[in-house]
Amino acid sequence: MATSADAASQNVIKAGWLQRESDILKKWKSSYCVLRTNGLFSIYTNERLMEAHGHVNLPRECFVLKIGRDVQGVAAPFGRFGSLIEIRTSQAAYIFCADTDDDAQTWKLVMDDVIRSHRAPPPAPAVVNAPPPAYVQAPPVVPPVVYASPPPVYQAAAPVTLVTPGSTSRVTSTTYYQDGRTVTVRQGPTASYPVQQTVYAYPGQTILNPGGTTTFTTYPAPHTTTQVYRYN
């Protein structure tokens, strides 16, 4: 009889006697069954493990494992239908009957555990790297159109006098008033003293004749023009 030390040395998870149904005559006979940690379920004629009637690699070969009344079409010995165990592979079907329903349940539990521990998990679905999105060039950024208003026409707040030097014999001085009046003075050759005529201009100054449409534009930068004429 195999001792616990023998079982441990052979990595045995569970071992014990089970009634097995023969393949041809469908007769029940006792078999000593051993389940090892590597998932190998072996059937022997006795406890000395000398003569094996078969081996089933449960993780690799078993695709049906049932117990009790889930096992169909089998005449259980002594009416112990709750103690039936069925192991089905692609090559054969093995039908066993335990001494009790609890023992059959224990066999199924340890078989399920060893099958689950040795079967590799299903492969993870392949990750398909999606192609990068097609590069779409962003539309060019069009700068906003800024409409610059023209500078307001400078309206003279006080009378403005423009001096227009002519020849040595004549100088014209024109004064523009807000009410539209224009006064022009021409100095003739009768003057016998030096006359200083000065024209003042401001940056970007535009002088609009209040009474007409004539526009006079001066220098774009600060500028002063002075001319001196002597009349004889």
Side-chain angles (χ1 to χ4, degrees):
M1 180 175 181
T3 64
S4 59
D6 295 334
S9 65
Q10 298 178 23
N11 298 318
V12 174
I13 299 176
K14 182 172 175 58
W17 288 96
L18 294 172
Q19 298 292 319
R20 179 192 174 195
E21 185 183 54
S22 63
D23 297 333
I24 299 175
L25 300 178
K26 304 299 180 182
K27 300 294 184 179
W28 294 94
K29 58 182 180 180
S30 297
S31 297
Y32 191 78
C33 301
V34 177
L35 176 62
R36 295 180 171 84
T37 56
N38 61 1
L40 187 65
F41 180 77
S42 302
I43 306 166
Y44 297 95
T45 57
N46 53 55
E47 296 177 339
R48 293 190 299 271
L49 312 181
M50 298 295 296
E51 182 181 354
H53 284 188
H55 301 281
V56 178
N57 189 314
L58 295 180
R60 294 183 180 179
E61 301 174 3
C62 176
F63 66 89
V64 172
L65 178 59
K66 298 179 180 180
I67 66 169
R69 296 188 181 276
D70 291 338
V71 181
Q72 302 293 323
V74 177
F78 309 106
R80 298 198 303 267
F81 291 97
S83 302
L84 293 175
I85 302 172
E86 178 181 2
I87 301 173
R88 187 177 297 272
T89 70
S90 60
Q91 302 296 325
Y94 300 88
I95 307 297
F96 300 92
C97 185
D99 291 338
T100 63
D101 296 355
D102 289 343
D103 192 26
Q105 183 68 36
T106 302
W107 274 105
K108 185 176 186 302
L109 288 175
V110 296
M111 289 179 180
D112 284 336
D113 287 344
V114 75
I115 290 173
R116 185 166 45 250
S117 64
H118 284 80
R119 283 182 177 171
V127 177
V128 179
N129 293 326
Y135 173 75
V136 179
Q137 184 175 5
V141 178
V142 180
V145 179
V146 179
Y147 296 95
S149 301
V153 176
Y154 173 76
Q155 300 288 345
V160 176
T161 300
L162 295 183
V163 179
T164 305
S167 64
T168 58
S169 62
R170 175 176 297 180
V171 174
T172 302
S173 176
T174 303
T175 301
Y176 296 91
Y177 295 89
Q178 287 181 291
D179 59 3
R181 292 182 299 112
T182 302
V183 178
T184 301
V185 178
R186 294 180 176 85
Q187 297 178 352
T190 58
S192 60
Y193 51 87
V195 177
Q196 177 175 308
Q197 300 292 344
T198 303
V199 175
Y200 299 96
Y202 304 96
Q205 179 186 25
T206 299
I207 302 173
L208 178 65
N209 182 0
T213 59
T214 304
T215 300
F216 300 89
T217 303
T218 61
Y219 301 95
H223 186 77
T224 301
T225 299
T226 302
Q227 297 189 16
V228 178
Y229 298 91
R230 178 181 295 277
Y231 301 99
N232 300 321

